[in-house]
Amino acid sequence: MLGRIDHVGVAVEEMDAALELYRDALGLPLAHREVVEEQGVDAALLDVGEGHVELLAPLGPDTPVGKYLQRRGPGLHHVAYAVADIDAELDRLRGAGLRLIDETPRTGIRNSRVAFVHPGALGGVLTEIVEPAAGH
Ligand code: CO
């Protein structure tokens, strides 16, 4: 079962400029910053209530976010729902006939476990489910 919305992912060209907007101008506290080599991104997590905004800057043009920026430009990239048990949730979504990008969870930011559902399965919205690490 999906819990709250954990974060909204935003694709950005350049992290320092994005932090000037989201942290300094909007005033969201920076909670975490991490390079996730496996996903080819420099990621920043900013707090907003119990949820987050996740800024994603590509490590190179041939990464998923780099390709996304070339196709679509900067902007909203994905919506992420928090789940308590990502393995059970993946089974449930697969059973519901949704096309998955990740058949098994991978490691996300801040030691979370994440998996993506194909945007074609959900009306064009790239959707992530995330099982946060203990304490988050
Ligand atoms: Co995300």
Side-chain angles (χ1 to χ4, degrees):
M1 186 168 72
L2 303 180
R4 60 189 168 79
I5 288 181
D6 183 80
H7 64 266
V8 174
V10 178
V12 306
E13 303 269 11
E14 206 274 312
M15 184 58 82
D16 287 340
L19 286 173
E20 283 178 18
L21 283 177
Y22 281 85
R23 180 191 57 201
D24 303 337
L26 271 185
L28 303 182
L30 177 64
H32 184 74
R33 178 141 178 211
E34 180 177 341
V35 171
V36 186
E37 296 279 355
E38 186 185 350
Q39 295 182 28
V41 292
D42 178 4
L45 214 53
L46 299 106
D47 286 337
V48 52
E50 295 198 344
H52 307 90
V53 173
E54 180 183 74
L55 302 176
L56 301 166
L59 296 181
D62 288 333
T63 60
V65 173
K67 290 175 187 162
Y68 180 92
L69 286 170
Q70 287 163 42
R71 279 199 319 271
R72 309 273 294 268
L76 281 179
H77 182 261
H78 66 272
V79 175
Y81 299 89
V83 300
D85 181 344
I86 195 169
D87 300 295
E89 194 60 23
L90 270 177
D91 282 344
R92 191 181 72 85
L93 298 178
R94 192 181 293 112
L98 296 180
R99 180 179 164 198
L100 305 176
I101 293 175
D102 299 305
E103 291 292 335
T104 56
R106 48 178 150 147
T107 302
I109 191 171
R110 214 158 56 169
N111 279 324
S112 56
R113 299 173 73 216
V114 306
F116 284 89
V117 181
H118 197 279
L122 288 169
V125 179
L126 177 60
T127 298
E128 175 185 0
I129 56 175
V130 52
E131 181 185 309
H136 296 294

